[in-house]
Amino acid sequence: MQPVGAVVPLRVDIAEKTFRSAQGVSITALQDLSFEVRQGEFACLLGPSGCGKTTTLRILLGLDKDFSGSFQLPEGGSNRIAAVFQEPILLPWRTVEQNVRLALPKSLRTKNLDGLFDTLGLAGMRSLYPAELSLGLARRAALARAFATEPAVLFLDEPFASLDERTAERLRHLLLTVWSARPTTALMVTHNLREALMLSDRIIVLAQRPAHVLGMFDVRLPRHYRNPQVMSDLLRSFHQKFPGVV
Amino acid sequence: MTAPDTGDRTPGAAAGSQSSLATALTPVLTVAVSLLGLCLLWGFAANAWPSRAFPGPGQVWQVLLAEAASGDLFYHLGATLGRVAAAYVIAMVVGSVIGVALGSYRSADRFFSPWVILFLNIPALVVIVLAYIWFGLNEAAAIGAVAVNKIPNVVVTMREGARALDPNYAEMAAVYRFGLLDRIRHVLLPQLQPYLAAASRSGIALIWKIVLVVELLGRSNGVGFQIYLYFQLFDVAAILAYTLAFVAVMLVIELLVVQPVERHATRWRRRPA
Ligand SMILES: Nc1ncnc2c1ncn2[C@@H]1O[C@H](COP(=O)(O)OP(=O)(O)OP(=O)(O)O)[C@@H](O)[C@H]1O
Ligand SMILES: [Mg+2]
């Protein structure tokens, strides 16, 4: 066990996760999946569709306890976790602001959220209901909710899927802006390599199902240096290291 | 709803209070005109076939005024209304808790499902008689008997509601560590709202009819007791006066309480139900 107050990374060590379908067929989704994300690091889980990325996040979020193995969550300051799911999952009967505040612990319920809403471009939408938002705006509200809780670790499951590329690009920049203001350990699932190269400090590359780690790709460059030229260099060296992936 | 497409329900629309007042009054006016039509028809029929057993609206109105002036009307209406309210609250709370539990746990549902069917099919009269025999002719037995009659209905409706719950919201609430009260208030109840509304609607109508039977069999006040009294006196005008007075009360509750509550609960939908 770690001494109290020590900086604990996110440590994942899942031996096996098997689903049993209604017809009795069993599907092994994860096998010997182990990796670490350092404190304050932004990591991406990159893998083909259906390989078990969402399954991994659900285990880490404590939503699926039926697996063998163990994991340890970071405990920097708060021990709260936050998640941005594949769908925004806002309560349709509560306004944007109520959705965000409900996710906060009692001690933070009345905190000032102006800055966060401003950064995410939601200042005028606080009193709208989710049905009145576009998908892009709903995703921003989900980001606002996650960051408002000041979590020790943040999980994101393809938060920019099914958006048009321009909106997705804008949201990626917004995500970077709020994350840089208060860097938390973050693990984001994606199957978009460019997105992973743009956002993360390190990419954890997963194999086809059953998912296990093929290797790591570290992006040591500060994010503001990652211009189109540098990005194509990164892409090339990624493909050299992982031929055939993505 | 009378006019689903008036388009002036948008919150903060420029047309403002005047049109929203009109929207609020339209259903009330429609109801008034329709009831007036029924009264005219009744008066006409009573004139055509004059009989002591079929008084016209005028006679019934006279009795109603007399009973109101003596205070009897309000005393008995109040007694019945209190029983209806108590039985309603008990049936809704107990039925919802059981229904949600059965809808959430399959094995419990499989085990208790025959019980629910059994209770659904026990005649109201049997429950009332047994309650009075076992627990005596008292208020608790009366209200309990009515609630027990309604609970299986609520259970069935709320079980459907619980089966339709979206697990995504529960998981979101688990990740963000919502407290129990927040979960019930902000996650569970809003999802169950349409089912609660359905159970309430059919509930109030059923409950007040059973309350009259309960009063007739074992209470010494209430609308049911009065109707029994006037039945023995063969006073149809008084019977109708009490019945209509109570129906009117239920109508007012529907218009002034149930519908506004429902409008408030569904305000987040783009087009309110
Ligand atoms: N509840 C379940 N029951 C049975 N099998 C499941 C269940 N959930 C997931 N699976 C299976 O586990 C595998 C991994 O699913 P998962 O949702 O984790 O994939 P993913 O990597 O998130 O894919 P995508 O990128 O398409 O979202 C899939 O083959 C899927 O069929
Ligand atoms: Mg997924």
Side-chain angles (χ1 to χ4, degrees):
Chain A
M1 279 281 101
Q2 303 284 328
V4 180
V7 174
V8 181
L10 168 66
R11 192 174 290 146
V12 179
D13 214 337
I14 299 170
E16 193 178 287
K17 164 71 198 173
T18 304
F19 286 108
R20 214 166 300 280
S21 76
Q23 282 79 34
V25 187
S26 56
I27 300 171
T28 307
L30 313 173
Q31 188 132 45
D32 296 324
L33 177 68
S34 53
F35 61 86
E36 257 187 46
V37 180
R38 288 181 289 255
Q39 172 81 23
E41 190 175 65
F42 195 118
C44 273
L45 265 184
L46 181 80
S49 182
C51 77
K53 306 181 295 292
T54 299
T55 307
T56 311
L57 281 202
R58 287 178 54 82
I59 289 175
L60 298 181
L61 287 168
L63 298 175
D64 193 335
K65 299 199 162 72
D66 178 26
F67 67 101
S68 60
S70 64
F71 64 85
Q72 185 178 30
L73 297 180
E75 295 171 5
S78 77
N79 59 358
R80 282 190 290 279
I81 54 178
V84 179
F85 304 90
Q86 224 160 342
E87 298 300 320
I89 314 190
L90 301 166
L91 299 173
W93 39 85
R94 295 287 176 262
T95 63
V96 168
E97 175 156 4
Q98 287 168 334
N99 263 287
V100 172
R101 288 201 187 277
L102 276 173
L104 301 178
K106 287 271 172 330
S107 55
L108 295 177
R109 274 283 160 93
T110 53
K111 93 178 207 185
N112 185 340
L113 295 170
D114 295 349
L116 186 63
F117 279 123
D118 276 344
T119 317
L120 287 169
L122 287 170
M125 329 237 159
R126 299 164 77 136
S127 59
L128 294 188
Y129 287 101
E132 298 165 319
L133 302 178
S134 67
L135 179 61
L137 287 172
R139 289 243 154 95
R140 289 192 213 185
L143 283 177
R145 176 174 64 189
F147 279 99
T149 59
E150 303 174 11
V153 56
L154 170 65
F155 295 105
L156 305 114
D157 193 353
E158 306 198 32
F160 312 121
S162 53
L163 290 174
D164 63 278
E165 188 44 38
R166 267 187 53 202
T167 314
E169 195 65 15
R170 243 184 82 70
L171 276 188
R172 284 180 201 124
H173 284 288
L174 286 179
L175 170 63
L176 274 188
T177 317
V178 266
W179 182 78
S180 315
R182 190 180 170 283
T184 18
T185 311
L187 181 64
M188 180 169 107
V189 158
T190 179
H191 49 226
N192 181 338
L193 175 58
R194 253 183 49 77
E195 176 175 292
L197 288 172
M198 171 185 163
L199 294 175
S200 58
D201 298 301
R202 114 186 302 198
I203 301 174
I204 301 157
V205 186
L206 297 185
Q208 283 284 4
R209 205 183 75 214
H212 55 270
V213 178
L214 272 185
M216 302 281 183
F217 186 83
D218 284 299
V219 191
R220 297 232 168 64
L221 223 54
R223 287 176 184 76
H224 55 270
Y225 288 131
R226 299 182 197 173
N227 56 36
Q229 174 60 41
V230 176
M231 285 291 281
S232 64
D233 289 348
L234 284 173
L235 271 170
R236 200 169 321 113
S237 58
F238 183 91
H239 283 306
Q240 267 167 12
K241 191 167 174 194
F242 297 101
V245 170
V246 188
Chain B
M1 285 269 111
T2 41
D5 260 316
T6 44
D8 49 18
R9 291 214 187 81
T10 337
S17 56
Q18 203 182 357
S19 69
S20 72
L21 187 70
T23 333
L25 278 178
T26 321
V28 181
L29 280 176
T30 318
V31 168
V33 169
S34 135
L35 290 181
L36 199 68
L38 189 63
C39 272
L40 287 176
L41 192 68
W42 173 17
F44 179 76
N47 269 330
W49 298 282
S51 150
R52 193 169 118 74
F54 189 24
Q59 275 166 281
V60 173
W61 182 247
Q62 292 302 325
V63 177
L64 199 64
L65 288 183
E67 292 285 315
S70 73
D72 278 0
L73 182 71
F74 301 110
Y75 169 67
H76 294 291
L77 278 184
T80 299
L81 206 57
R83 289 183 190 122
V84 168
Y88 167 79
V89 170
I90 294 172
M92 289 303 289
V93 171
V94 175
S96 298
V97 170
I98 298 176
V100 170
L102 293 189
S104 315
Y105 301 101
R106 265 163 167 268
S107 47
D109 186 34
R110 269 198 290 270
F111 184 82
F112 288 110
S113 195
W115 295 27
V116 175
I117 296 170
L118 182 81
F119 275 95
L120 266 175
N121 286 293
I122 296 182
L125 192 59
V126 175
V127 175
I128 297 165
V129 170
L130 288 181
Y132 277 148
I133 293 175
W134 288 338
F135 305 107
L137 292 176
N138 55 49
E139 203 64 49
I143 291 169
V146 178
V148 166
N149 272 304
K150 175 59 192 164
I151 285 172
N153 287 298
V154 181
V155 168
V156 170
T157 309
M158 297 314 290
R159 184 171 61 182
E160 281 313 307
R163 283 180 185 152
L165 288 176
D166 186 342
N168 281 331
Y169 297 128
E171 293 184 342
M172 187 277 292
V175 166
Y176 286 108
R177 302 198 187 134
F178 280 33
L180 181 67
L181 280 183
D182 278 349
R183 263 178 227 223
I184 293 176
R185 205 176 131 206
H186 302 291
V187 182
L188 192 62
L189 287 183
Q191 288 187 83
L192 293 177
Q193 187 272 331
Y195 297 88
L196 282 169
S200 292
R201 274 264 160 76
S202 67
I204 296 181
L206 181 73
I207 282 175
W208 93 261
K209 289 169 194 162
I210 302 177
V211 164
L212 294 203
V213 179
V214 167
E215 289 173 343
L216 180 149
L217 286 176
R219 299 277 74 208
S220 52
N221 57 10
V223 175
F225 172 78
Q226 287 299 94
I227 287 176
Y228 185 53
L229 185 73
Y230 289 117
F231 166 60
Q232 287 168 329
L233 302 175
F234 211 64
D235 188 344
V236 179
I239 292 175
L240 286 178
Y242 270 94
T243 312
L244 291 181
F246 202 76
V247 171
V249 169
M250 298 313 281
L251 207 70
V252 168
I253 290 178
E254 165 82 20
L255 286 176
L256 296 188
V257 182
V258 178
Q259 287 188 6
V261 165
E262 211 167 312
R263 264 198 296 278
H264 178 77
T266 53
R267 69 199 177 285
W268 54 274
R269 291 185 208 275
R270 277 196 185 155
R271 203 173 281 280

